Amino acid sequence: VQYEVVLPAAGSGKRMGAGRNKLFLELLEKPILIHTLEVFEQDENCTGIWLAVKPAERAVIQKMLENYGISKVKGLPDGGAERQHSVHACMKEMGQVDIVLVHDAARPFITRDIIANLVQSAHNFGAAIAGVRAKDTMKKVRNGIIEETVDRESLWMIQTPQAFRFDLIVEAEDVAEKVGFLGTDEAMLVERLGHEVHIVESNYENVKMTTKEDLLFGEAILRKRALGNNL
Ligand code: CTP
Ligand code: MG
């Protein structure tokens, strides 16, 4: 099943503390943004990439796309103040497609098999998101005191990609914009409509490069993969 992907890349990377957009930081001498783009460039089911960028970074990014031979980018609209606005900016520019995938540009280790599972599930059910089972014991805490231990069996840690039928995500975003609802992921907007969202089991390598130590994990993952060593 074919799809187009929306990659929000217009953040500032505050928690990384690099003083600039973390997506330009390099893992084994290649920018994080390029690692992510290459996954979609190489996936034959991906028919187009939409990249939300900061206006001041557009020229640098376009140069990078040329240098690394990324050819599928169809548009680079201005991102917004919040991630959801950046995603929406891409959705407004793209034409009608069957399936849209939304993926954090800061998650460079996503694999094509998980993408394929997500796209298939979104095709079947309308909405599907990547997640992994919680590993630690989970407790709900208020004011430093345990309120309860939450049943871990029912807890999933949610990642991107998140995949949707085009009409469904467009409706969900339009409603969210109209009522001023801000979600932390796209699925929340769809859940609000009362539409079921399916989960696709992903893996623990699909980490988001968020803080400094994530770069260490990231390079370890790349080194392991370079050795052809898949967990
Ligand atoms: N993003 C975006 N527009 C925003 C905020 C975030 O396009 N207004 C993008 C980021 O570039 C990133 C993805 O959304 O690829 C996930 O966001 P996050 O990991 O929070 O990145 P930043 O917002 O850049 O980092 P921080 O929250 O630490 O400032
Ligand atoms: Mg952020």
Side-chain angles (χ1 to χ4, degrees), residues 156-192:
W156 289 70
M157 304 190 291
I158 299 310
Q159 309 169 338
T160 69
Q162 305 199 341
F164 307 94
R165 282 190 207 131
F166 182 80
D167 296 342
L168 181 58
I169 187 65
V170 166
E171 183 192 351
E173 287 194 341
D174 286 348
V175 170
E177 184 171 51
K178 199 177 295 166
V179 304
F181 178 82
L182 203 59
T184 51
D185 71 351
E186 280 58 54
M188 278 178 80
L189 314 186
V190 171
E191 291 158 30
R192 287 184 79 249

Side-chain angles (χ1 to χ4, degrees), residues 12-76:
S12 16
K14 286 212 186 70
R15 286 170 288 175
M16 188 61 78
R20 60 181 174 138
N21 189 342
K22 63 189 179 184
L23 299 175
F24 296 126
L25 298 181
E26 300 191 342
L27 297 173
L28 300 189
E29 284 159 33
K30 190 186 286 181
I32 291 170
L33 179 61
I34 297 298
H35 281 289
T36 307
L37 282 163
E38 283 181 345
V39 176
F40 296 99
E41 183 71 21
Q42 290 160 13
D43 184 356
E44 58 184 27
N45 291 319
C46 177
T47 54
I49 301 171
W50 298 84
L51 206 53
V53 301
K54 280 193 155 78
E57 293 172 349
R58 180 175 290 106
V60 182
I61 290 175
Q62 276 171 323
K63 192 82 218 155
M64 281 170 55
L65 298 180
E66 266 174 49
N67 290 344
Y68 287 95
I70 306 294
S71 63
K72 288 187 185 172
V73 175
K74 290 186 167 175
L76 302 90

Side-chain angles (χ1 to χ4, degrees), residues 83-99:
R83 181 183 167 288
Q84 184 178 315
H85 301 137
S86 297
V87 171
H88 199 48
C90 292
M91 295 296 306
K92 280 190 203 148
E93 278 206 11
M94 67 195 287
Q96 171 101 36
V97 294
D98 288 339
I99 303 291

